[in-house]
Amino acid sequence: MDRSRNGTTRAVIVILAIAGLLATAPIASATPRVERVHSAATFVYRDLTVRSFGIDHGELTAVDPTSISLLRQDGVTVTLAASDATTCVRVDGLVATLANLVIGQDIAAVSDETGMAALAIRVGRAHRDDDTPGCRLLRGAVHGDITDQLSDGTTQDRSWDRGRITGLAPYWIRIARADNVSAVSHRTRETRVVHVASYFRLRLGDPVTIVSRKVLDDQGQPRLLALVIRAHHR
């Protein structure tokens, strides 16, 4: 047996194996993740009242019994009046107070239409999964228009609709809202369904909330693409 030849063969195999690992190893991206930094939202309720909210996302930089401050990813600092009497605080979906907040936490702060006072502050994972105001601020709401400002300077528009399913197909869902308006949203690979096992477990008549992205189709007509379908108790 030619030992030198065997040694050369083993060396070649090792080199090829290392080369394969390097070729398949993920390359870290220097591109920062695009996040929502601010949202302007207007909601319509069953009694035809209209409420507007601001939603800011960022790192908590200051908190005391009367105010909070956060630094958004776009470099803007937002300061809002806050108190345990007027501000609903949730940490991982649980009831909390301003004293439970910790500097450095990533928070979402919902402000009133003046943009001066915090109505709700959320930290961590919420029971909701649609990134809209919690703390029952949307009780009785049937529709919302949301404009998101993203950290890369772009914007996107979303629609919030609550009602009962009146039409259901593999790639679209139609609901009737309490204001007698129908809304159709199209299912895509991005669509997430929460509180049921899958999209195909939804049934006609089920109450749901749908958060959709607003886009224009090839003919320039508005179209809703479902981002989140949240099922409610039947």
Side-chain angles (χ1 to χ4, degrees), residues 46 141-143 160-166 173-183 202-210 229-233:
R46 289 176 185 164
V142 296
H143 173 70
W160 185 100
D161 295 284
R162 177 177 289 168
R164 291 187 177 273
I165 300 174
T166 57
I173 179 172
R174 182 179 66 239
I175 65 173
R177 304 190 321 227
D179 59 352
N180 296 318
V181 173
S182 291
L202 296 171
R203 297 291 181 267
L204 293 177
D206 284 354
V208 296
T209 297
I210 305 175
I229 302 173
R230 182 173 182 261
H232 302 283
H233 296 298

Side-chain angles (χ1 to χ4, degrees), residues 23-203:
T24 58
I27 299 175
S29 174
T31 304
R33 180 178 175 180
V34 177
E35 303 279 2
R36 293 188 190 102
V37 294
H38 177 77
S39 300
T42 300
F43 288 88
V44 180
Y45 294 74
R46 289 176 185 164
D47 60 3
L48 302 183
T49 58
V50 177
R51 296 188 69 182
S52 296
F53 305 101
I55 310 169
D56 289 286
H57 301 265
E59 179 183 333
L60 183 67
T61 56
V63 58
D64 61 41
T66 62
S67 68
I68 62 110
S69 293
L70 63 89
L71 177 64
R72 301 189 327 207
Q73 197 178 75
D74 60 353
V76 174
T77 295
V78 176
T79 298
L80 300 169
S83 74
D84 287 332
T86 60
T87 306
C88 169
V89 181
R90 295 288 184 267
V91 176
D92 291 329
L94 302 177
V95 176
T97 67
L98 293 174
N100 297 126
L101 301 179
V102 179
I103 301 299
Q105 287 177 321
D106 289 327
I107 70 169
V110 182
S111 56
D112 62 11
E113 59 186 7
T114 69
M116 302 295 290
L119 298 175
I121 299 171
R122 186 176 70 216
V123 180
R125 184 174 179 81
H127 292 316
R128 310 177 64 84
D129 199 22
D130 53 17
D131 194 42
T132 51
C135 293
R136 300 189 175 184
L137 293 176
L138 299 185
R139 172 176 279 187
V142 296
H143 173 70
D145 292 303
I146 306 166
T147 297
D148 300 314
Q149 180 182 336
L150 307 181
S151 55
D152 63 357
T154 62
T155 61
Q156 67 177 12
D157 292 322
R158 290 182 292 152
S159 179
W160 185 100
D161 295 284
R162 177 177 289 168
R164 291 187 177 273
I165 300 174
T166 57
L168 197 59
Y171 297 106
W172 59 264
I173 179 172
R174 182 179 66 239
I175 65 173
R177 304 190 321 227
D179 59 352
N180 296 318
V181 173
S182 291
V184 176
S185 191
H186 298 264
R187 175 174 169 260
T188 72
R189 291 183 178 180
E190 296 180 32
T191 303
R192 289 177 291 135
V193 180
V194 294
H195 293 177
V196 291
S198 74
Y199 178 84
F200 298 100
R201 292 294 184 91
L202 296 171
R203 297 291 181 267

